[in-house]
């Protein structure tokens, strides 16, 4: 009798929680309904709140906030809650977990591989309904001031986007569905110490062979220096694959293709450079940006993000800049067919049961990506380049660009170089596990440079990726 | 009889708050873990997307076949087997020493307790800084780090502790020093507490007999402290198998020196890393970890039952 | 779950030793008998041994203190001095402004302290109540399945808490607890370890006291409150301190479930804050380590103060058995 009493209580508590738990994890279901365009389009009356995750810091967040206030004036029923969540990976990790519990944000900063990851659950909203030929072209949204705008991107708006950036949104699956919109972009550029180059009559390298030659010369002139700093080993590897046309990854079939003779060859070649002290990387430089070396003239060339131009700028000594910075494209294998990586955040929208939230999110994305003022100001504050060419007609931005110089105003110099190589942008395929490949090739470069066996390291990296892929 | 029956429900009433919370936040996760461990490559995102998962032992097979996991297992074992005896022994000696002094004893006790009240990640970074060699550029002599400076001052040769291409043995040595540093306060506290309640008669008797200090230590102190020693050993084995933050503190999420990602990864590190994309394998790994901890604890209990003198 | 329990598992307070303090009285008698003349040789020996002991303890103490010293001097260096390749052993000049930066930056240290205190205090109080009740049931009350239940609970201590994270995250989200204090408090209320600790403590309180109370007609709850709790005070204080430290150090779980400014806890805030270097604002990778170290010092100090203030109780709790002498 007594025995049963205790056992019954125990059993019932257990049973309750288990069933409760099961109900919670499967019952309500975090899966969101598919978006169906409401008959009236966007409802400008009913209040709707949307959440926006990003990684903006002190510099650019106020600009976003300022424009959100303006957006609120245009659509008073939309309340936007913007949240700064650490770095890009933090945003990814947070959203991954939130999708599981069903409370992901409405829109977020993203990289293509994050979207591939999220989309295992089908949580990301396709944007095709909002593009220029979607079939909802005639749908209008009335602003507060009585004017209207098209819900979908107009022909004109679409054409304003830098094509390479816009097309990135389709780099998923069969390429027919758009999942992301470009938000602000950057690429890698080569910063060089123009003063030093001119004094020593050095040629700015345009190919990797010339780069080797230049490093050698710098080493002779300044044996104490590390001629080149390359921030991202992973970018270096992937860009080399792209420039050489050698396999890296594929979104379908055998995904990890980077273990091949050509790739081993260039890694081995750079290892030789490293041994001669020609370069360092961020990872090898104690995870400090190599711009730290460039600034103090411990290195004379630096390959890093165009958005980080500010970091390359040396501190003024007695009000004077100690040297002038030159900015140009990174070296190429074949300068006739240049390839540079496309970086910087895009935004994606998440599915929600309430279609009005999706529409409100879309209106915000449209507002932020096509608004010339926002794009110009954001570019100014962050160093990222605008995603729409119309910004170039903006008077203020024009003035900024005109004032660019290699001393105090390098940001626009970088932006210029960045925009000039529009045609050279590439992005690698995004799939679940593409970021794993990126991590692994970065680690691989580091490992070989510090002396690990080349073949063994390649093999291990592939093994890692394949274990990850399952 | 009646009061006993009354006691029954009263006891359950007293336990109710704890049981409810445990059921939700401990029991259910355990059950869910079992479920996930047996579903091949189970992941929540895929589940939401309508993916189906095969039932079976695949997760266990895949995990144990994976080189990275075997490495984690090895590291965890080494860390446990080295740090537990060292820290226990050192703590015992310090406790005995503390127990044999009077002047500034309290100050000393306070000092030895300080690592107890720290954040292991923050202090881990400090250890990294102390052991790290800063590479000089192109032939320039860089900083060799404070520890190497000390070693050379005593006529030793510098060691590459944590920098790229450092040996795993050197990395492990740093980790072990840090873990021991971190583990000392708790152990000293327990053992000193034990020492202070040991009957002084035994020592008086030993003194009268003229027994040497070392002999006294092994013949009297250790046996008398055996319950505390057993307790300390068991808890630190359990803690040791869950080692994670100390490695993150020193080497960062890379779990190894630059160029040697995950070389020093542990079981818990592995579980964390696979938690995001493959909860099935993470669960399988956690169950394996649990089985190991369980087995080691059972062995510990068995040994201490034989050896502990009350 | 996640780090709260981990931290605690590693940093536990021990059970009370089973030896009785009563016997010490006898030893004093013994001592007196042996108080005969001590030879010079013995005195010399004693001095040598004592010197050795102090030397050994001194060296060990230095080893223990060194990282703290490093943290402190780093917090007082200028950014330029900190980033030098050869570390200086003492700041050339004290850069106190690092501490001001720690307070005035985007890191809202005051708010973080407040949040952490709220979570720490509330969770400590609730946790003590739950723990005392459970420990009492296990120590004093008789019920069927007691040993089995206790063993089962002890067994769960061996399960790596990291594993609970994913499931618990889903659970609390479904409860709608995200970004609340509740989510930081409730899942951690029950620590089996504390229950175990307190049960051991309670069990050392002689049964006679309980029986006497029963004869007097004292209710269980009153007995628990009036007799057991005061007797176990040192253990309860230890639990309180550990619990507060848990709130102070937890990182992984708060990062997942309470990442908003209104509920952010201190370690999380510390790690998330960007530490811009003057002149390099907005630059990723340029981290003002001295200011960060200053904040770490500020976060560590309260813990140290609490420890120094309550040290007596902790030591007492450890060194004495249940009955106050």
């Amino acid at each position: 009798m007594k025995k049963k009493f205790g056992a019954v209580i125990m059993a019932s508590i257990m049973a309750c929680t288990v069933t409760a738990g099961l109900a919670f994890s499967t019952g309500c279901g975090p899966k969101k309904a598919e978006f169906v365009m409401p008959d009236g389009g966007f409802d400008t009356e009913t209040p709707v709140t949307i959440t926006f995750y990003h990684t903006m810091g002190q510099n650019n967040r106020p600009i976003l906030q300022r424009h959100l206030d303006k957006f609120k004036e245009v659509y008073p029923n939309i309340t936007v809650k913007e949240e700064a969540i650490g770095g890009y990976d933090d945003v990814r990790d947070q959203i991954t977990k939130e999708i599981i519990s069903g409370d992901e944000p409405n829109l977020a900063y993203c990289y293509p591989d994050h979207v591939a990851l999220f989309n295992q659950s089908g949580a990301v909203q396709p944007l095709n309904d909002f593009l220029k030929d979607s079939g909802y072209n005639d749908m209008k949204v009335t602003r507060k001031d009585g004017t209207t705008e098209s819900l979908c991107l107009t022909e004109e708006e679409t054409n304003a986007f830098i094509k390479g950036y816009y097309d990135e949104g389709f780099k998923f699956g069969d390429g027919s569905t758009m999942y992301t919109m470009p938000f602000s972009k950057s690429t890698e550029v080569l910063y060089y110490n123009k003063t030093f180059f001119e004094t020593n009559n050095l040629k700015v390298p345009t190919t990797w062979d010339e780069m080797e030659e230049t490093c050698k010369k710098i080493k002779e002139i300044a044996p104490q220096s590390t001629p080149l700093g390359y921030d991202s080993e992973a970018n270096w590897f992937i860009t080399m694959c792209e420039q050489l046309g050698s396999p890296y990854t594929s979104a379908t079939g055998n995904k990890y293709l980077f273990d091949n003779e050509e790739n081993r060859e260039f890694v081995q070649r750079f290892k030789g450079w490293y041994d001669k002290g020609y370069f360092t990387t961020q990872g090898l430089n104690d995870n400090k940006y190599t711009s730290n070396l460039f600034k103090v003239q411990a290195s004379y060339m630096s390959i890093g993000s165009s958005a980080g131009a500010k970091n390359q700028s040396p501190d003024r000594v007695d009000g004077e800049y100690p040297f002038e910075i030159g900015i140009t494209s990174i070296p190429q294998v074949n300068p006739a067919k240049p390839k540079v990586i496309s970086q910087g955040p895009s935004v994606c929208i998440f599915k929600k049961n309430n279609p009005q939230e999706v529409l409100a999110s879309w209106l915000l994305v449209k507002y932020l990506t096509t608004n010339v003022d926002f794009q110009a100001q954001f570019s100014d504050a962050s160093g990222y380049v605008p995603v729409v060419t119309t910004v170039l007609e903006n008077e203020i931005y024009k003035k900024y660009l005109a004032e660019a110089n290699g001393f105090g105003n390098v940001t626009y110099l970088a932006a210029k170089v960045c925009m000039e190589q529009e045609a050279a942008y590439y992005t690698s395929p995004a799939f679940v596990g593409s970021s794993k490949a990126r991590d692994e090739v970065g680690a691989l470069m580091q490992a070989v440079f510090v002396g690990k066996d080349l073949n063994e390291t390649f093999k291990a990296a592939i093994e890692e990726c394949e274990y990850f892929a399952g | 009889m009646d009061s006993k029956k009354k006691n029954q429900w009263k006891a359950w009433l007293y336990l109710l708050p704890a049981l409810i919370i445990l059921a939700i936040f401990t029991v259910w996760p355990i059950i869910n873990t079992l479920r996930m461990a047996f579903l091949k490559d189970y992941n929540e995102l895929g589940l939401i997307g309508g993916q189906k998962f095969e039932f079976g032992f695949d997760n266990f097979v895949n995990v144990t076949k994976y080189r990275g996991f075997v490495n984690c297992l090895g590291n965890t074992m080494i860390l446990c087997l080295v740090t537990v005896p060292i820290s226990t022994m050192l703590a015992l000696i310090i406790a005995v020493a503390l127990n044999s002094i009077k002047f500034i004893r309290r100050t000393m006790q306070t000092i030895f307790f300080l690592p107890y009240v720290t954040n292991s990640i923050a202090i881990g970074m400090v250890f990294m800084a102390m052991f790290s060699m800063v590479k000089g550029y192109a032939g320039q002599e860089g900083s060799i780090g404070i520890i190497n400076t000390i070693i050379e001052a005593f006529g030793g040769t510098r060691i590459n502790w944590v920098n790229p291409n450092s040996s795993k043995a050197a990395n492990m040595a740093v980790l072990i020093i840090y873990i021991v540093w971190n583990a000392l306060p708790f152990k000293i506290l327990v053992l000193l507490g034990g020492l202070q309640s040991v009957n002084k008669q035994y020592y008086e008797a030993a003194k009268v007999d003229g027994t040497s200090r070392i002999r006294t230590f092994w013949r009297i102190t250790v046996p008398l402290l055996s319950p505390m020693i057993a307790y300390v050993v068991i808890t630190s084995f359990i803690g040791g198998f869950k080692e994670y933050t100390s490695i993150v503190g020193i080497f960062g999420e890379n779990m190894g020196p630059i160029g040697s990602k995950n070389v020093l990864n542990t079981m818990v590190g592995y579980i964390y890393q696979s938690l995001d994309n493959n909860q099935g394998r993470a669960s399988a790994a956690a169950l394996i970890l649990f089985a190991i901890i369980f087995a080691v604890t059972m062995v510990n209990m068995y040994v201490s039952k034989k050896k502990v003198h009350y | 779950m996640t780090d709260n329990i981990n931290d605690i598992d590693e940093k536990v307070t021990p059970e009370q030793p089973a030896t009785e303090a009563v016997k010490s009285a006898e030893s004093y008698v013994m001592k007196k008998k042996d108080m005969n003349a001590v030879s010079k040789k013995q005195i010399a020996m004693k001095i040598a041994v004592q010197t050795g002991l102090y030397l050994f303890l001194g060296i060990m103490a230095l080893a223990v203190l060194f990282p703290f010293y490093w943290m402190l001097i780093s917090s007082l260096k200028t950014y330029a001095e900190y980033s030098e390749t050869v570390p200086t052993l003492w700041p050339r000049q004290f850069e106190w402004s690092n501490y001001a930066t720690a307070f005035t930056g985007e890191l809202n240290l005051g708010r973080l302290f407040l949040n952490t205190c709220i979570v720490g205090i509330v969770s400590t109080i609730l946790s003590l109540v739950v723990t005392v009740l459970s420990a009492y049931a296990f120590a004093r009350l008789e019920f069927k399945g007691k040993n089995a239940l206790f063993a089962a609970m002890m067994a769960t201590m061996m399960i790596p808490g990291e594993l609970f994270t994913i499931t618990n995250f889903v659970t609390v989200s479904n409860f709608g607890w995200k970004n609340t204090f509740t989510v930081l408090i409730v899942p951690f209320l029950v620590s089996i370890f504390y229950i175990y600790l307190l049960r051991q403590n309670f069990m050392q309180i002689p049964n006679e006291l309980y029986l006497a109370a029963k004869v007097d007609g004292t209710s269980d709850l009153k007995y628990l409150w009036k007799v057991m709790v005061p007797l176990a005070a040192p253990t309860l204080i230890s639990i309180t301190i550990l619990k507060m430290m848990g709130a102070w150090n937890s990182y992984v779980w708060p990062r997942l479930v309470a990442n908003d400014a209104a509920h952010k806890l201190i370690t999380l805030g510390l790690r998330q804050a960007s530490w811009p270097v003057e002149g390099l604002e907005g630059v990723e990778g340029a981290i003002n380590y001295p200011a960060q170290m200053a904040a770490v010092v500020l976060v560590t100090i309260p813990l140290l103060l609490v420890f120094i203030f309550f040290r007596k109780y902790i030591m007492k709790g450890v060194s004495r058995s249940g009955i106050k002498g």
Side-chain angles (χ1 to χ4, degrees):
Chain A
M1 178 62 199
K2 276 174 278 168
K3 205 177 243 168
K4 263 183 194 160
F5 185 73
V8 165
I9 291 191
M10 274 274 281
S12 47
I13 289 177
M14 299 266 184
C16 282
T17 28
V18 172
T19 41
L22 284 173
F24 279 130
S25 65
T26 55
C28 352
K31 180 139 188 146
K32 301 294 185 298
E34 290 302 319
F35 173 77
V36 179
M37 185 68 81
D39 286 339
F42 182 63
D43 168 7
T44 50
E45 296 299 321
T46 323
V48 53
T49 303
I50 55 176
T51 321
F52 177 23
Y53 284 0
H54 57 77
T55 63
M56 294 174 205
Q58 290 171 323
N59 280 358
N60 29 23
R61 200 173 175 184
I63 291 160
L64 175 72
Q65 283 160 343
R66 208 155 59 226
H67 282 268
L68 288 182
D69 290 343
K70 285 189 187 162
F71 184 67
K72 180 93 185 162
E73 282 165 25
V74 180
Y75 297 111
N77 69 321
I78 304 177
T79 308
V80 183
K81 275 169 63 186
E82 49 89 28
E83 278 183 50
I85 316 250
Y88 295 116
D89 287 353
D90 298 317
V91 173
R92 176 196 64 198
D93 294 346
Q94 175 123 354
I95 293 177
T96 310
K97 271 146 199 144
E98 288 178 343
I99 291 173
I100 296 170
S101 57
D103 46 6
E104 61 270 30
N106 289 82
L107 62 159
Y109 258 24
C110 62
Y111 264 72
D113 44 348
H114 302 173
V115 175
L117 179 73
F118 302 151
N119 240 348
Q120 279 183 293
S121 67
V124 185
Q125 173 65 40
L127 303 176
N128 293 29
D129 279 351
F130 311 124
L131 304 181
K132 61 176 172 159
D133 298 317
S134 67
Y136 297 107
N137 280 355
D138 47 355
M139 211 157 239
K140 294 274 183 271
V141 189
T142 313
R143 300 181 177 118
K144 169 83 171 163
D145 61 8
T147 59
T148 60
E149 71 168 309
S150 162
L151 176 69
C152 302
L153 283 177
T154 61
E155 182 89 39
E156 195 187 339
E157 282 165 341
T158 311
N159 293 340
F161 279 101
I162 293 171
K163 195 169 176 317
Y165 296 156
Y166 183 80
D167 289 345
E168 268 178 41
F170 291 95
K171 290 256 164 154
F172 304 91
D174 62 1
S176 65
T177 313
M178 189 189 215
Y179 283 107
T180 66
M181 285 284 281
F183 191 86
S184 58
K185 288 288 160 183
S186 70
T187 186
E188 285 184 320
V189 290
L190 170 66
Y191 300 89
Y192 61 96
N193 187 324
K194 204 169 175 183
T195 314
F196 179 85
F197 269 63
E198 278 166 4
T199 323
N200 294 290
N201 222 352
L202 291 167
K203 185 180 173 299
V204 181
T206 55
T207 66
W208 292 106
D209 293 335
E210 285 175 21
M211 176 56 94
E212 186 169 11
E213 201 50 42
T214 312
C215 287
K216 197 174 159 218
K217 279 184 189 153
I218 295 179
K219 210 65 189 159
E220 281 161 11
I221 301 161
Q224 300 292 309
S225 71
T226 307
L228 170 68
Y230 202 129
D231 268 336
S232 162
E233 298 96 347
N235 278 357
W236 199 1
F237 190 101
I238 300 165
T239 302
M240 285 312 291
C241 291
E242 202 67 35
Q243 291 186 358
L244 288 162
S246 63
Y248 166 56
T249 56
S250 152
T252 51
N254 186 6
K255 289 175 175 155
Y256 304 104
L257 309 166
F258 57 80
D259 183 13
N260 54 57
E261 223 18 78
E262 272 174 299
N263 293 355
R264 288 178 194 220
E265 217 168 83
F266 78 71
V267 174
Q268 187 63 44
R269 180 180 182 198
F270 295 148
K271 156 80 176 147
W273 294 13
Y274 183 71
D275 290 342
K276 288 181 203 153
Y278 284 2
F279 72 88
T280 187
T281 65
Q282 190 186 337
L284 298 166
N285 186 32
D286 210 12
N287 275 325
K288 288 184 188 118
Y289 279 77
T290 58
S291 55
N292 293 359
L293 305 175
F294 184 75
K295 276 193 325 203
V296 298
Q297 308 199 55
S299 80
Y300 296 98
M301 291 179 284
S302 169
I303 296 179
S305 167
S306 61
K310 232 179 249 173
N311 316 14
Q312 311 282 352
S313 234
D315 295 332
R316 260 183 284 199
V317 182
D318 303 327
E320 294 286 319
Y321 286 96
F323 63 90
E324 183 182 0
I325 297 176
I327 305 177
T328 183
S329 286
I330 62 163
Q332 297 291 329
V333 170
N334 176 5
K337 268 172 48 193
K339 293 283 180 192
V340 293
I341 196 163
S342 167
Q343 300 188 119
S346 299
V347 277
C348 65
I349 297 178
F350 292 93
K351 288 178 187 167
K352 289 286 166 183
N353 290 331
N354 176 5
Q356 294 301 333
E357 283 182 41
V358 176
L359 288 177
S361 310
W362 165 251
L363 286 172
L364 178 63
V365 169
K366 185 164 173 263
Y367 179 86
L368 292 176
T369 52
T370 59
N371 186 301
V372 172
D373 279 345
F374 173 74
Q375 285 284 327
Q377 287 170 20
F378 194 79
S379 169
D380 178 39
S382 65
Y384 283 91
V385 294
V387 295
V388 281
T389 48
T390 37
V391 172
L392 296 175
E393 279 120 54
N394 180 291
E395 282 310 314
I396 303 167
Y397 203 74
K398 260 192 203 162
K399 193 165 153 269
Y400 282 147
L401 281 182
E403 282 169 0
N405 64 56
F407 294 102
N409 208 353
V410 279
T411 300
Y412 292 98
L413 207 58
K416 245 183 187 167
V417 176
C418 209
M419 282 183 278
E420 277 159 13
Q421 39 190 3
E422 202 191 303
Y425 286 130
Y426 76 85
T427 43
S428 33
F431 53 92
V432 181
S434 54
S435 63
K436 182 72 181 167
R438 205 189 134 77
D439 293 349
E440 286 304 321
V441 295
L444 174 155
M445 293 272 269
Q446 274 184 21
V448 174
F449 294 160
V450 301
K452 297 264 157 46
D453 180 76
L454 180 79
N455 296 331
E456 180 56 30
T457 310
F458 265 90
K459 235 179 76 193
I462 290 280
E463 204 177 297
E464 272 292 327
C465 288
E466 272 164 5
Y467 173 76
F468 182 89
Chain B
M1 184 65 208
D2 200 42
S3 84
K4 266 200 172 170
K5 209 168 177 183
K6 202 178 134 203
N7 252 343
Q8 289 281 326
W9 67 260
K10 206 191 301 178
W12 288 106
L13 201 67
Y14 277 53
L15 285 170
L16 196 64
L19 287 182
I20 290 174
I21 292 168
L22 281 177
I24 297 171
F25 294 107
T26 305
V27 177
W28 163 237
I30 293 170
I31 295 167
N32 197 26
T33 303
L34 281 169
R35 180 178 75 97
M36 295 189 291
F38 289 98
L39 293 172
K40 189 185 179 193
D41 293 335
Y42 178 90
N43 74 86
E44 295 278 348
L45 287 182
L47 182 76
I48 295 165
Q51 206 178 320
K52 294 273 176 283
F53 307 100
E54 252 172 78
F55 180 86
F57 285 89
D58 300 68
N59 289 333
F60 293 93
V61 174
N62 284 335
V63 163
T64 41
K65 270 200 328 214
Y66 174 50
R67 212 162 22 153
F69 180 78
V70 176
N71 177 43
C72 293
L73 192 64
N75 291 342
T76 312
M77 292 283 190
I78 293 169
L79 286 179
C80 266
L81 291 176
V82 179
T83 59
V84 173
I86 292 181
S87 61
T88 311
M89 202 58 222
L90 201 56
L92 188 58
I93 296 170
I94 293 174
V96 170
L98 278 174
N99 200 36
S100 327
I101 63 166
K102 291 217 169 57
F103 178 63
I104 62 165
R105 173 150 119 192
R106 292 188 127 205
T107 318
M108 282 293 187
Q109 268 175 276
T110 311
I111 289 172
F112 283 113
F113 197 74
L114 283 181
Y116 199 88
V117 284
T118 54
N119 184 313
S120 54
I121 288 183
I123 300 288
M125 286 153 114
V126 179
F127 270 77
M128 175 68 173
M130 293 180 344
F131 281 93
S132 174
M133 269 198 259
V134 183
K135 214 177 129 205
Y137 294 108
Q140 211 177 323
E141 173 87 28
S143 161
I144 57 169
I146 188 74
I147 297 293
N148 273 333
T149 312
I150 294 171
I151 290 177
E152 291 199 343
F154 282 94
T157 44
R158 66 182 70 165
I159 293 167
N160 181 357
W161 293 104
V162 290
N163 292 81
N165 236 3
S166 48
S167 70
K168 195 171 167 181
N171 302 157
M172 277 291 190
V174 175
L175 270 181
I176 286 164
I177 291 170
Y178 177 50
I179 293 170
V180 169
W181 183 88
N182 227 345
L184 277 181
F186 164 64
K187 290 181 176 161
I188 295 174
L189 196 70
V190 178
L191 296 174
L192 189 61
L195 275 174
Q196 285 171 346
S197 60
V198 158
N199 194 336
K200 298 211 168 45
Q201 246 176 332
Y202 295 105
Y203 288 104
E204 303 295 340
K207 234 181 209 168
V208 171
D209 291 351
T211 318
S212 78
R213 274 176 180 269
I214 293 173
R215 213 178 141 78
T216 314
F217 177 78
W218 286 111
R219 288 300 168 95
I220 298 178
T221 311
V222 172
L224 281 177
L225 277 183
S226 54
M228 289 81 190
I229 294 174
Y231 171 73
V232 151
V233 166
I234 291 172
T235 49
S236 54
F237 259 110
I238 295 176
F241 275 103
K242 294 180 182 177
E243 206 59 68
Y244 171 65
T245 45
S246 37
I247 298 119
V248 174
I250 295 180
F251 294 98
E253 301 271 351
N254 195 44
M255 300 302 271
I258 290 158
S260 311
K261 192 176 176 356
N262 281 344
V263 163
L264 302 166
N265 205 0
T266 60
M267 303 275 283
V268 169
Y270 173 82
I271 293 170
Y272 264 140
Q273 286 176 359
S274 41
L275 205 56
D276 276 340
N277 59 73
N278 199 324
Q279 288 97 33
R281 284 186 203 167
S283 303
L287 286 178
I288 294 169
L289 175 58
F290 169 66
I292 294 171
I293 293 179
F294 187 77
V296 170
T297 309
M298 284 301 129
V299 171
N300 262 326
M301 299 260 223
Y302 178 77
V303 173
S304 57
K305 244 191 197 141
K306 294 234 148 170
K307 297 266 173 171
V308 165
H309 305 256
Y310 282 96
Chain C
M1 242 154 72
T2 65
D3 38 3
N4 240 356
I5 279 183
N6 273 336
D7 289 346
I8 287 155
D9 278 355
E10 285 158 28
K11 298 183 169 181
V12 284
T13 317
E15 68 184 291
Q16 306 301 322
T19 30
E20 309 88 350
V22 192
K23 282 191 184 167
S24 61
E26 295 169 27
S27 79
Y28 283 120
V29 182
M30 289 281 291
K31 225 181 201 171
K32 275 218 163 131
K33 276 189 209 163
D34 293 330
M35 280 290 185
N36 38 26
V38 201
S39 73
K40 273 184 185 166
K41 200 181 154 196
Q42 272 174 309
I43 292 173
M45 180 71 185
K46 204 172 176 190
I47 290 171
V49 168
Q50 285 285 314
T51 316
L53 283 175
Y54 278 103
L55 201 65
F56 168 71
L57 286 175
I59 291 168
M60 293 313 293
L62 280 182
V64 163
L65 287 177
F66 193 78
F68 292 102
Y69 156 76
W70 205 254
M71 174 175 83
L72 273 173
I73 60 160
S74 301
S75 78
L76 288 168
K77 287 179 178 178
T78 60
Y79 181 74
E81 187 177 352
Y82 184 87
S83 43
E84 272 169 31
T85 26
V86 184
T88 45
L89 284 174
W90 192 252
R92 284 195 205 100
Q93 68 187 69
F94 285 181
E95 191 70 16
W96 291 106
S97 67
N98 289 331
Y99 284 84
T101 313
F103 259 106
T104 53
E106 66 165 290
L107 176 82
N108 193 345
L109 210 52
R111 178 82 216 188
L112 293 176
F113 272 120
L114 181 71
N115 290 346
T116 312
C117 285
I118 292 174
V119 170
I121 290 168
V122 175
S123 65
T124 302
I125 293 171
L126 292 179
S127 175
L128 283 177
V129 170
V130 174
T131 309
V132 166
L133 289 177
S134 316
Y136 182 72
F138 280 123
R140 276 287 165 261
L141 300 177
E142 288 303 324
F143 59 98
K144 279 287 162 197
K146 179 164 100 167
N147 292 334
L149 182 63
F150 191 66
M153 281 167 72
M154 293 296 290
T156 62
M157 271 172 69
M158 284 186 284
I159 297 174
E162 292 67 34
L163 195 65
F164 302 162
T165 313
I166 269 284
T167 310
N168 283 342
F169 179 82
V170 178
T171 307
V172 296
S173 303
N174 285 318
F175 287 168
W177 283 0
K178 276 185 64 194
N179 292 333
T180 60
F181 284 128
T182 316
V183 77
L184 297 173
I185 294 168
V186 174
F188 304 105
L189 274 188
V190 183
S191 160
I192 292 159
F193 181 72
Y194 298 156
I195 295 178
Y196 167 77
L197 206 64
L198 204 60
R199 168 185 170 266
Q200 300 297 94
N201 213 221
F202 281 169
M203 278 168 67
Q204 279 165 13
I205 297 168
N207 230 356
E208 288 77 17
L209 279 178
Y210 180 61
L211 294 176
K214 278 275 133 184
V215 171
D216 290 350
T218 316
S219 76
D220 271 313
L221 215 54
K222 197 172 170 195
Y223 171 73
L224 176 60
W225 181 243
K226 293 273 176 182
V227 181
M228 305 264 278
V229 168
L231 284 178
T235 309
L236 293 174
I237 290 174
S238 306
I239 293 176
T240 305
I241 292 165
L242 291 173
K243 196 76 196 161
M244 292 297 283
M245 275 170 53
W248 220 260
N249 288 332
S250 62
Y251 174 66
V252 177
W253 180 249
R255 176 173 156 242
L256 279 176
V257 295
N259 211 347
D260 62 333
H263 303 97
K264 198 173 278 188
L265 297 191
I266 200 127
T267 313
L268 182 60
L270 259 186
R271 306 227 88 197
Q272 280 185 343
S274 62
W275 300 88
V277 181
E278 214 180 305
L280 293 172
E281 287 93 346
V283 172
E284 255 182 290
I287 297 163
N288 195 345
Y289 283 110
Q292 194 180 29
M293 279 292 144
V296 171
V297 171
L298 288 173
V299 169
T300 310
I301 279 175
L303 279 180
L304 293 181
L305 287 180
V306 165
F307 163 64
I308 288 166
F309 190 70
F310 286 102
R311 188 195 55 174
K312 213 168 72 186
Y313 294 92
I314 301 180
M315 302 302 176
K316 232 183 209 168
V318 174
S319 60
R320 297 210 179 167
S321 48
I323 295 179
K324 282 186 183 172

